[in-house]
Amino acid sequence: LFPESITTEQQSLVLVKRLLAISMSCITYMRGLFPESSYGTRYLDDLCLKILREDKSCLGSLQIVKWIQGCFDALEKQYVNLGFYALSSNPTVTEMYQFKFKYKKKVPQMDISSNHREFVAGLCSRDVKQASRLLLRTLYLLMQDLGPLPSDITLSMKLLYYNDVTPKDYQPPGFKEDGSPGDLLFAGDPINLRVGSVSTDFHLMKIRVTTEKKRVRKADSNLIQKNGPTEISYQGLDCEEEEEEENTKINLLNLAFSQEEVVGPKKKKKVSEPEKLPLNGRK
C-alpha cells in the first residue's frame, strides 16, 4: 500500500495520495454509502481495507473516484490547503471530514518528539508508515462509533487553496468555482474529533471529523476537541490555532470561529466544488 521508502518528495506525494484515497474509501464504506461491488479489498497488517474502484454499475462511487482524482491534481501542484467532505441531510450537515495539507522543504532535525498521534519531520520511513497505520486504524474505529445516517443523505466536497500560489482561474478536474459558499449548519452541538496526522519531510496531512455530539456513541477523550459553534463558515475553516513545529508557528484547523469573527487582512480562500451527490438509493 505504501512506498517501500519515503525519502523523496515524489515518494511522499504517493503516500499522501494513497492515504487520502484510502481514508475517503473508508468513510464511504463504513457509512454504507455504496454497494460492496464498488470496493476492492487490500490488507494493512491485520486491518482489512475496502478501496473504492471505478464501478460502472454505481454512478455515485464513480463520481467519488473522480473527486479523489481532482484532489490528486491539486496535491501535485501544491495548491490545495484543505479538503472537506460533508454528509448532509437538508438543510443541515450530519458529518464533516476535513483533510488538511501542508507542504514543506526538507529540514534536518536533531530532536524529534512524538505524542503518539503526530510524527514530525525527520523521521525514518518506518516511523512514517507506523503513523499512517495509526491514522487509518483510528479512522476505522471512529467510523464504528458513529450513529446511523439519515435516509436522505447528500454528499458534497469542497477544496480550499493557498491563495498566494494558486492561479485565480485554477480548478481541478471535476470541480468548479463555488460562487456561493454559505455556512455549514449542524442541527445540534457539533463536536470536533482529531483523528490524527502523518508528516514526512515534504508533506503534512491531518484528518479531523466534525459531527453532532449525540451521534458519537463513545470516543477516546484524546480525540475530542473543544466544541465549536452550531454554524460554521467555509471561510472560518481557515481560522487555525497556533502550534509550535520546526521552530516556527504553524496553523492548525480550528472550527471555533465564524466568518464574522475573523479579523485582520486575510483574504477569503478560493473555494471550488463538484456537483453534489444525492445518495437516496444507498445500500
Side-chain angles (χ1 to χ4, degrees), residues 7-265:
T7 56
T8 69
E9 186 171 7
Q10 183 58 34
Q11 290 166 341
S12 176
L13 177 62
V14 169
L15 173 72
V16 171
K17 284 181 174 181
R18 289 182 182 175
L19 282 173
L20 175 63
I22 294 170
S23 298
M24 290 188 67
S25 296
C26 164
I27 292 164
T28 61
Y29 184 80
M30 297 297 288
R31 304 312 282 138
L33 301 185
F34 305 120
E36 191 77 28
S37 61
S38 297
Y39 300 88
T41 302
R42 298 289 296 275
Y43 286 89
L44 180 62
D45 299 330
D46 60 339
L47 185 62
C48 179
L49 302 174
K50 295 293 184 176
I51 313 297
L52 272 170
R53 58 188 178 189
E54 293 183 291
D55 177 12
K56 294 182 180 179
S57 67
C58 180
L59 295 179
S61 64
L62 274 176
Q63 187 64 54
I64 299 299
V65 171
K66 289 181 180 178
W67 291 4
I68 294 172
Q69 291 170 344
C71 293
F72 286 176
D73 186 82
L75 277 169
E76 289 168 2
K77 293 178 170 64
Q78 298 192 353
Y79 291 164
V80 65
N81 167 270
L82 177 70
F84 65 95
Y85 183 69
L87 295 172
S88 306
S89 178
N90 286 333
T92 59
V93 177
T94 304
E95 296 170 9
M96 182 170 67
Y97 301 87
Q98 304 151 54
F99 299 86
K100 174 77 175 178
F101 303 101
K102 192 173 180 69
Y103 314 95
K104 52 190 177 179
K105 294 181 180 179
K106 185 173 181 178
V107 178
Q109 202 169 349
M110 298 297 292
D111 262 328
I112 300 170
S113 60
S114 163
N115 65 2
H116 303 296
R117 292 196 183 278
E118 211 156 83
F119 290 76
V120 298
L123 289 178
C124 66
S125 300
R126 180 187 61 192
D127 293 320
V128 173
K129 290 179 184 179
Q130 180 184 345
S132 302
R133 293 186 188 98
L134 178 59
L135 180 74
L136 294 174
R137 284 183 181 276
T138 304
L139 183 59
Y140 262 76
L141 289 172
L142 177 59
M143 294 295 95
Q144 295 174 23
D145 289 334
L146 294 178
L149 290 170
S151 58
D152 60 336
I153 213 73
T154 297
L155 200 154
S156 61
M157 187 170 190
K158 307 270 185 182
L159 297 180
L160 283 75
Y161 304 90
Y162 287 102
N163 285 353
D164 55 341
V165 296
T166 307
K168 290 184 179 179
D169 61 350
Y170 171 75
Q171 295 296 339
F175 285 75
K176 63 180 182 179
E177 183 177 358
D178 182 12
S180 56
D183 291 335
L184 300 164
L185 181 66
F186 287 82
D189 294 330
I191 185 171
N192 300 323
L193 302 168
R194 184 181 304 194
V195 179
S197 68
V198 173
S199 184
T200 73
D201 288 333
F202 305 95
H203 297 88
L204 173 66
M205 174 179 168
K206 299 187 179 187
I207 302 179
R208 298 189 187 190
V209 178
T210 305
T211 189
E212 295 173 42
K213 188 174 182 179
K214 66 181 181 181
R215 302 194 69 257
V216 183
R217 297 190 185 102
K218 58 181 180 178
D220 184 337
S221 60
N222 291 326
L223 300 181
I224 299 174
Q225 292 181 280
K226 184 180 178 181
N227 284 3
T230 302
E231 190 172 293
I232 299 170
S233 164
Y234 288 130
Q235 300 300 333
L237 290 170
D238 190 44
C239 297
E240 301 168 335
E241 65 192 31
E242 291 183 338
E243 170 181 274
E244 287 288 336
E245 179 173 325
E246 298 173 13
N247 297 321
T248 60
K249 292 275 187 178
I250 69 165
N251 290 328
L252 293 178
L253 188 63
N254 182 357
L255 298 178
F257 299 93
S258 68
Q259 184 173 351
E260 291 72 25
E261 292 171 321
V262 180
V263 295

